Amino acid sequence: AQSVAQPEDQVNVAEGNPLTVKCTYSVSGNPYLFWYVQYPNRGLQFLLKYITGDNLVKGSYGFEAEFNKSQTSFHLKKPSALVSDSALYFCAVRENDGGATNKLIFGTGTLLAVQP
Amino acid sequence: EAQVTQNPRYLITVTGKKLTVTCSQNMNHEYMSWYRQDPGLGLRQIYYSMNVEVTDKGDVPEGYKVSRKEKRNFPLILESPSPNQTSLYFCASSKRTSGRWGSQETQYFGPGTRLLVL
């Protein structure tokens, strides 16, 4: 069965510094991977996804993620953090069932806190 | 504007009083789904629908019902709510495509409904 792990409950970073939010996955077959962000009192917003092709995926708000098949990781990165990036970040993998359910399997989330 | 809407956004109720949370999307998506978000557990799928009149259970369906009479609407029904259903609920939709490794489509989420069952 597919699964996603986000090993850090919280990541603290100073504004202007690079940030990384970690995600590892366990799937059979080729993974379809997603990152979502949840701002306080808001729904989940799509940031980026990896389906195939270039291992470095660029997304919204200056975020990018690197797919690493050998390490089964899909870490979210940003070169320079903003205070407004403070939010809850979820990594997700698509259930590998040939599209039968379209289900996403989510990690437990990582709270990113950017200090001014 | 393409969006998924949910109502109500906040709800406080008592044990056993039936309630419905509505979800509507304007993107003509075939697929719709309900998730609940709980601290330390991430989001877990409750029910999903691949098209009108086609629904199926997700990972945590107990205590919930859904219906899909129209393509745009996918209401979540709690016939007899209990305190363990206190949670943050999200509706999501996407196009329905299938492939060897699953769907490549992005799911779009509503703003969430925060439910407290006393």
Side-chain angles (χ1 to χ4, degrees), chain A residues 68-114:
Chain A
N68 188 318
K69 189 171 184 177
S70 63
Q71 297 185 4
T72 62
S73 66
F74 189 55
H75 300 332
L76 182 70
K77 300 181 180 185
K78 188 173 183 182
S80 179
L82 300 173
V83 172
S84 57
D85 292 330
S86 298
L88 186 59
Y89 290 81
F90 288 98
C91 182
V93 65
R94 179 76 76 200
E95 179 81 75
N96 182 2
D97 58 6
T101 66
N102 276 28
K103 185 170 78 173
L104 284 172
I105 299 165
F106 284 86
T108 52
T110 298
L111 183 64
L112 173 67
V114 181

Side-chain angles (χ1 to χ4, degrees), chain A residues 15-103:
Chain A
E15 188 174 32
N17 283 359
L19 70 87
T20 298
V21 182
K22 295 180 181 177
C23 172
T24 59
Y25 65 89
S26 174
V27 301
S28 56
N30 295 333
Y32 295 160
L33 297 156
F34 300 78
W35 274 103
Y36 284 85
V37 59
Q38 183 180 18
Y39 297 103
N41 298 315
R42 302 276 293 277
L44 274 73
Q45 295 181 30
F46 169 73
L47 278 179
L48 52 80
K49 66 182 179 183
Y50 173 81
I51 302 298
T52 187
D54 195 347
N55 289 344
L56 186 63
V57 180
K58 294 189 183 297
S60 307
Y61 312 121
F63 284 92
E64 57 189 28
E66 186 170 11
F67 171 66
N68 188 318
K69 189 171 184 177
S70 63
Q71 297 185 4
T72 62
S73 66
F74 189 55
H75 300 332
L76 182 70
K77 300 181 180 185
K78 188 173 183 182
S80 179
L82 300 173
V83 172
S84 57
D85 292 330
S86 298
L88 186 59
Y89 290 81
F90 288 98
C91 182
V93 65
R94 179 76 76 200
E95 179 81 75
N96 182 2
D97 58 6
T101 66
N102 276 28
K103 185 170 78 173

Side-chain angles (χ1 to χ4, degrees), chain B residues 47-95:
Chain B
Y47 267 94
Y48 67 94
S49 170
M50 298 303 281
N51 215 324
V52 176
E53 302 290 2
V54 180
T55 64
D56 208 346
K57 297 176 180 178
D59 296 321
V60 288
E62 293 76 22
Y64 304 95
K65 286 175 56 177
V66 293
S67 68
R68 186 89 183 272
K69 293 183 170 60
E70 305 165 284
K71 197 171 188 179
R72 63 183 294 126
N73 296 323
F74 190 46
L76 179 69
I77 303 156
L78 284 71
E79 293 271 3
S80 182
S82 63
N84 65 13
Q85 293 178 297
T86 293
S87 189
L88 179 58
Y89 291 87
F90 287 105
C91 181
S93 75
S94 71
K95 291 181 185 179

